Amino acid sequence: QKLLENVVEAVVFVDEDGLVVEMNPAAERLLERMRGDVVGRPLKLLMPENSTTAPEQRLGSLLSSGWWKLHRTALEAEFLRNDGSAFPAEVRLSSCRVGCREVFLLSLRDLSGYKLSELLAQDRLQVIELIAKNQPLNTVLAALTEMIERQLPGALCAVMLRENDRLYPAAAPNLPESYVRAVSGMPIGPSAAS
């Protein structure tokens, strides 16, 4: 138990029946769940039900088949935080015998930051390609605003251009049309108190 408390990586132990038998404080922090709320419950409760890849089934079949022992590769699965939000995790598997039962050790690493970086790199490449292909400015700016909105879920973004001390929307792909019309041509500058 003391050894587990000092492990920096999130570790969850699962028995042959798919029940969580132990987890360390790092796993509590990652999953935002207390140990007492998880131990004794099925691992699949920590995974989204509506996943198209059914990761809990894939993980369960990997555990029982022993495939992971031969390949020693990590796999990716989604897990749920206590608030219901899902996050991608890298899962590394190993096992040990406790009495006559096999216990599986799942080492979890949150991939959210990595996935966001990957998305950001793809978005940047898309914008660079639009510029290289000499696409219209409005197309490039619309791609930029959508890139920002993907990085800030719930935010709406617009790019406004100033012309003759008035604002004109250059890109506002997800703002309501009524809002875009209302701000189009709005005076801007010191004399307009803006």
Side-chain angles (χ1 to χ4, degrees):
Q1 189 68 26
K2 282 288 184 201
L3 180 64
L4 266 183
E5 289 175 12
N6 296 318
V7 174
V8 176
E9 202 164 85
V11 178
V12 177
F13 288 92
V14 180
D15 69 11
E16 295 167 323
D17 299 322
L19 299 176
V20 175
V21 293
E22 189 58 79
M23 64 190 282
N24 70 346
E28 286 181 309
R29 287 188 298 277
L30 179 64
L31 298 168
E32 298 174 354
R33 297 171 186 262
M34 298 301 296
R35 181 186 166 281
D37 297 335
V38 176
V39 171
R41 303 193 65 185
L43 175 67
K44 70 180 182 179
L45 294 179
L46 300 176
M47 305 176 97
E49 287 181 31
N50 60 352
S51 176
T52 55
T53 57
E56 73 279 357
Q57 290 174 358
R58 186 176 70 200
L59 193 55
S61 64
L62 285 176
L63 291 175
S64 61
S65 72
W67 175 91
W68 59 272
K69 289 179 184 178
L70 298 173
H71 295 87
R72 294 285 182 206
T73 58
L75 64 106
E76 189 176 316
E78 276 195 327
F79 283 84
L80 292 173
R81 291 196 166 88
N82 197 34
D83 66 3
S85 62
F87 67 95
E90 176 186 82
V91 182
R92 294 198 176 271
L93 303 167
S94 60
S95 71
C96 62
R97 283 234 166 257
V98 177
C100 61
R101 294 179 60 88
E102 189 167 24
V103 176
F104 301 96
L105 180 144
L106 283 66
S107 175
L108 308 177
R109 185 171 64 100
D110 187 349
L111 295 177
S112 300
Y114 173 76
K115 294 288 185 182
L116 184 59
S117 295
E118 211 173 56
L119 178 64
L120 183 57
Q122 290 170 358
D123 285 343
R124 282 187 199 142
L125 184 58
Q126 178 193 5
V127 171
I128 290 168
E129 285 175 359
L130 290 172
I131 293 168
K133 291 178 180 177
N134 206 26
Q135 292 295 311
L137 178 61
N138 289 0
T139 302
V140 174
L141 294 176
L144 279 170
T145 59
E146 289 176 339
M147 177 178 78
I148 292 167
E149 289 175 356
R150 275 192 296 278
Q151 294 172 31
L152 301 168
L156 294 176
C157 183
V159 176
M160 308 296 281
L161 298 179
R162 180 180 169 191
E163 187 178 313
N164 298 326
D165 290 332
R166 295 198 175 270
L167 280 180
Y168 295 96
N174 297 311
L175 284 173
E177 186 60 37
S178 59
Y179 177 81
V180 174
R181 280 194 309 271
V183 297
S184 183
M186 185 178 282
I188 188 170
S191 62
S194 60

